[in-house]
Amino acid sequence: MLFREFSAICQQIEVIRGRLEIIDLISQRLPALSDEELPVFVRFIMGRIFPDWSPEKLMIGPNLLYEGVAYVVGTKKETVIETINRTGDIGKAVELLLAEKEQTSFFSEELELVTVYHEFEKIADTGGKKSQREKLLVVRKLLANASPLEGRYLARIMLEDLRIGVGEGSIREAVARAFLIDSGIVEHAVQALNDLGYVAQLAKTGEAALRDVHISPFHPVKMMLAQQGSIMSAIAENGTIAAEYKYDGSRFQFHRQGGQSKLYSRKLEDVTNALPDVLAILNESTTTDIILDGEVIAMKEGKPLPFQAVLRRFRRKHGISKMQEEVQLFPNVFDILYLNGETLIDLPLMERRKRLETAVSGHIAPQLVSNDPAVVEAFYHRALDAGHEGIMIKAPESPYTPGMRGKNWIKIKPEVDTLDLAVVGAEWGEGKRAHYFGSFLLACQKNGELITLSKVATGFSDEQLAEAYDLLHDRIITKAGKEVRFEPGLIFEVGYSELQVSSNYPGGFALRFPRFIRIRDDKDITEIETLDSIRERYMRQPNS
Ligand code: AMP
């Protein structure tokens, strides 16, 4: 498939909008794709490049892209930024600029879909100064051969934000329909393999291949997630439940095979090098080929330290041994997904627990099994007294469902009014904070779109502002006066006193007295609060 054809499909989808029609259109295109094209097409159309399990990242920031565009169209970077400000979208801006250039030149070489992917592979994750130059050369080469419409989608894919509204659910449906396979089987295969592209390839060979999927070490799967609930309703639903402390740390997945081992974060980044102490503890507690799920916490004198201390260790690239002395980390293992070649996710929790207890010695999170609300309530209070966040209640018969948030895992913690929101913009600070951002614009989500909801300017220490600056300055997309807009990706947890109905923001709500609580860079943008859940919270307020 030519990238030109792919771009035409994207353009068609962009104007359709209706989910069923989109699924239909994609499913019709899939069967004709070659084995090599199929996974690339499937990932690109979702705005992704590499398999979800892969720690490979393109890491082309907006700045590098602007430079590449400016070079190819023979203009200044400022003109590119100006055009983005005018059109409100990097894709449309690149299209416009390439169209102006096209009148004076011809693009020389037709881009193939898979060639574009191979170019991306070349520049992924190469790190270091020289690589910026290599990346720039590839960006220039691709854009120089792109028609204006191709430029629109190339630019967006390079920033891994295609904005045509095709989510994983739609693609799963399209794959199921294209190859006449039950969508439940497709979904299960995606959970285990964590790469919809490869799943599509298997689906093409037939249902049997998809039924027989296995998890493999060093291909991390998405973490199973929890939803809110109550002890009473969880017991009413399940009879007997399993409860564990809810540790306030950071999620990890530990993979070990043939004496080699790795650690992954909640976002499936490879954090092995940042956490040598945790790795050593886990390597000592098990000698088999295994995949474990758990939470790392920081402890000092027997008490857990705030979660921020853990995150800082996860992010650390230099001075790791000094940090190790300052912040000691301990893993708490609560699940097992794979043991010696066997995939365990479909076994009931209690069966997995048995395997866990035989395969791992020490560092397993204690578990209470009970059908008595009073006993579980007492366990909850013990958890809080020990400085943990609350408890997790799990359905004993439930499988491990990667990436799913459902009622098989219920979190019980004291009611706090905080929201996880995406940072989409900021204003520069003043006075001694002039080199940092001082106030941040935050957004929730609705059907995958970001909806601004609040600004937050209080609750930051100087250190936190410096940290926020470090994490955000590479994400600047546009600048206007004192204001900047970011490529969304970073998440803040913010507190507030009340939700108010407001016409100041497009979602119709605003936060009263918003204050910064902490950076949640362990969370993914898809995990931010939805407008629906904010509306529900509003309805629960006593005076609403
Ligand atoms: P939340 O981040 O508030 O949605 O809570 C879910 C998170 O709690 C999980 O993603 C884990 O990182 C964390 N967690 C802490 N203890 C446990 C536990 N015993 N079982 C499962 N998740 C846990």
Side-chain angles (χ1 to χ4, degrees), residues 10 29 40 54 65 76 107 116 127 140 190 198 282 373 389 400 409 457 465 469 482 515:
C10 291
R29 304 303 297 243
V40 176
S54 166
L65 181 58
K76 287 206 247 71
F107 48 96
V116 173
R140 283 183 192 170
V190 175
Y198 180 45
L282 290 167
E389 221 189 338
Y400 188 97
W409 283 18
L465 282 180
Y469 177 79
K482 282 188 70 121
R515 82 189 176 285

Side-chain angles (χ1 to χ4, degrees), residues 171-186:
I171 291 287
R172 274 200 316 257
E173 282 299 319
V175 169
R177 207 180 287 182
F179 303 112
L180 304 173
I181 293 171
D182 179 77
S183 63
I185 296 172
V186 177

Side-chain angles (χ1 to χ4, degrees), residues 391-507:
I391 56 171
M392 294 288 289
I393 294 187
K394 301 179 178 178
E397 294 307 316
S398 60
Y400 188 97
T401 44
M404 303 294 285
R405 193 185 291 286
K407 59 182 182 337
N408 286 333
W409 283 18
I410 299 288
K411 51 187 171 187
I412 313 284
K413 53 184 186 180
E415 187 68 47
V416 279
D417 287 335
T418 69
L419 298 170
D420 291 332
L421 299 171
V423 185
V424 293
E427 264 181 49
W428 291 100
E430 286 175 353
K432 71 180 168 76
R433 291 178 166 184
H435 297 298
Y436 297 133
F437 305 118
S439 134
F440 300 83
L441 182 64
L442 305 171
C444 63
Q445 61 173 328
K446 187 181 179 195
N447 303 331
E449 266 181 56
L450 292 171
I451 316 251
T452 51
L453 184 77
S454 176
K455 280 189 179 167
V456 63
T458 55
F460 298 93
S461 65
D462 285 350
E463 197 191 7
Q464 284 166 331
L465 282 180
E467 203 175 344
Y469 177 79
D470 274 351
L471 294 168
L472 284 165
H473 73 276
D474 269 348
R475 292 188 168 274
I476 296 178
I477 303 178
T478 58
K479 296 179 185 173
K482 282 188 70 121
E483 288 183 15
V484 298
R485 283 285 179 150
F486 301 118
E487 185 197 348
L490 189 67
I491 295 166
F492 280 0
E493 183 178 337
V494 292
Y496 60 95
S497 65
E498 200 187 340
L499 282 165
Q500 294 175 314
V501 170
S502 158
S503 55
N504 290 344
Y505 291 102

